[in-house]
Amino acid sequence: DADVTQTPRNRITKTGKRIMLECSQTKGHDRMYWYRQDPGLGLRLIYYSFDVKDINKGEISDGYSVSRQAQAKFSLSLESAIPNQTALYFCATSLFGNTEAFFGQGTRLTVV
Amino acid sequence: KQEVTQIPAALSVPEGENLVLNCSFTDSAIYNLQWFRQDPGKGLTSLLLIQSSQREQTSGRLNASLDKSSGRSTLYIAASQPGDSATYLCAVSSGGYNKLIFGAGTRLAVHP
């Protein structure tokens, strides 16, 4: 089983719909992150969290919200999806300090 | 603002060649640099992590170097194989909290 699991793996949704992407980890890491990847571009940070009481905006947080339900779970929500949010979304984890980051397998989201 | 650039964007080589992938960053104040491999549908796999105080790291046929003062890192792949075909991403941790800033990647194809 993967250490960082994202669900769903693929999702097609309509403009204006609310959608939630989920991430769970078994690595015991305190830090969790959501990134977005667009074709031909590197990953960009949406939100990050250091524990259940700590949520921080990243570079491109507009149109997104997150919830850290437990140390092992971090969800990303699109309140009202729009076509330019079509992208590949990745969840990542790391330990405190300047340590290695581990990524999930990604969720491919298409907004039509 | 930290920016990460990877050259070349794409590379096609015959099996057995030694090759070098390049990564450059604009702000030398980094905590670490990480190289990832991205396979379609399989997310990101961490290859090597170099802390800011280190000059290089090695794992099997892979060797990554870091020259922080010049803002450069290279990933050396020895004796390339078709299984090495993937997109290779470079990311720097800059600004604290292990937030990663990614390059757009180098797409590598190794043909038999």
Side-chain angles (χ1 to χ4, degrees):
Chain A
D1 289 340
D3 294 321
V4 184
T5 303
Q6 293 183 231
T7 56
R9 295 292 311 279
N10 291 281
R11 180 73 182 267
I12 300 174
T13 191
K14 293 183 178 180
T15 298
K17 292 291 187 182
R18 183 179 190 277
I19 182 170
M20 179 182 291
L21 310 183
E22 299 186 342
C23 176
S24 63
Q25 54 115 345
T26 58
K27 299 190 74 67
H29 289 172
D30 51 348
R31 299 179 173 187
M32 298 188 74
Y33 309 80
W34 277 104
Y35 290 88
R36 165 180 172 160
Q37 185 180 35
D38 295 282
L41 299 179
L43 282 70
R44 291 179 292 167
L45 182 63
I46 306 172
Y47 270 96
Y48 58 104
S49 168
F50 298 150
D51 61 42
V52 294
K53 298 179 182 179
D54 179 82
I55 301 290
N56 302 278
K57 293 182 178 180
E59 179 188 0
I60 54 166
S61 59
D62 287 349
Y64 302 94
S65 63
V66 292
S67 172
R68 185 84 182 263
Q69 303 95 323
Q71 189 200 31
K73 296 183 181 295
F74 193 35
S75 299
L76 176 72
S77 293
L78 287 67
E79 298 301 326
S80 179
I82 56 177
N84 75 2
Q85 291 178 312
T86 293
L88 190 54
Y89 290 85
F90 286 101
C91 174
T93 72
S94 71
L95 278 172
F96 176 82
N98 300 310
T99 59
E100 189 175 9
F102 295 88
F103 282 74
Q105 294 182 313
T107 294
R108 184 168 298 280
L109 176 66
T110 303
V111 182
V112 298
Chain B
K1 179 184 174 184
Q2 178 74 269
E3 294 182 357
V4 179
T5 303
Q6 292 188 244
I7 295 174
L11 186 62
S12 180
V13 300
E15 182 176 7
E17 274 203 8
N18 301 322
L19 50 98
V20 174
L21 308 183
N22 296 292
C23 172
S24 62
F25 46 95
T26 55
D27 185 348
S28 62
I30 65 170
Y31 294 96
N32 62 49
L33 184 145
Q34 200 165 348
W35 282 94
F36 295 89
R37 168 181 173 144
Q38 182 174 17
D39 295 278
K42 294 186 178 180
L44 274 68
T45 301
S46 177
L47 297 174
L48 291 164
L49 171 70
I50 310 176
Q51 298 291 352
S52 62
S53 59
Q54 298 175 319
R55 297 283 293 183
E56 66 177 331
Q57 282 286 345
T58 298
S59 175
R61 294 183 294 109
L62 305 179
N63 175 275
S65 67
L66 174 63
D67 184 343
K68 213 173 66 161
S69 62
S70 67
R72 295 183 179 183
S73 176
T74 61
L75 179 66
Y76 176 82
I77 302 176
S80 59
Q81 303 170 357
D84 294 330
S85 298
T87 297
Y88 290 81
L89 296 166
C90 164
V92 299
S93 173
S94 179
Y97 308 108
N98 217 22
K99 298 179 291 182
L100 296 177
I101 299 170
F102 282 82
T106 293
R107 190 172 65 254
L108 173 66
V110 181
H111 49 86

